[in-house]
Amino acid sequence: MRSSGRFFADMPPRRGLEDNPTAGKVQRFSPTRRADLRAALVHITGVENPPDKACTRCRAGRGTWVGCVTPPQQCAGALRGACANCFHNGSGSKCSFKTTRLSLICPPPKYAS
């Protein structure tokens, strides 16, 4: 098992960090802040939820980045169950996906051979 930061840094990127034009005032991304870095890594490598399955805050257009992205199932606890947008913006506890019973530790990624 390894920390979630290392897990996501080892995963292939699926998307970039596209600013959400409807977000309004949100916290600026800081690469030196661990929570920001973890949220960005999840957003880049995680699983994008379809618009009708997005968390309540993302559906309302309050996410920092375009799309509602969560960690893959094997690492669901990386953001304590919250999506990357809510976790980054300091609103992880307000995310409708939030849970407190998940571990922050992720298994090593498995790559197709």
Side-chain angles (χ1 to χ4, degrees), residues 41-90:
L41 287 170
V42 168
H43 194 83
I44 291 166
T45 63
V47 178
E48 187 164 2
N49 299 294
D52 63 324
K53 303 278 190 212
C55 79
T56 306
R57 294 175 64 79
C58 286
R59 270 185 283 168
R62 299 200 305 220
T64 303
W65 303 300
V66 172
C68 183
V69 180
T70 50
Q73 187 61 35
Q74 73 267 31
C75 199
L79 306 181
R80 296 277 192 220
C83 75
N85 274 321
C86 288
F87 193 82
H88 165 260
N89 206 24

Side-chain angles (χ1 to χ4, degrees), residues 56-57 86 90-98:
T56 306
R57 294 175 64 79
C86 288
S91 300
S93 63
K94 297 176 184 173
C95 185
S96 59
F97 295 158
K98 168 86 168 97

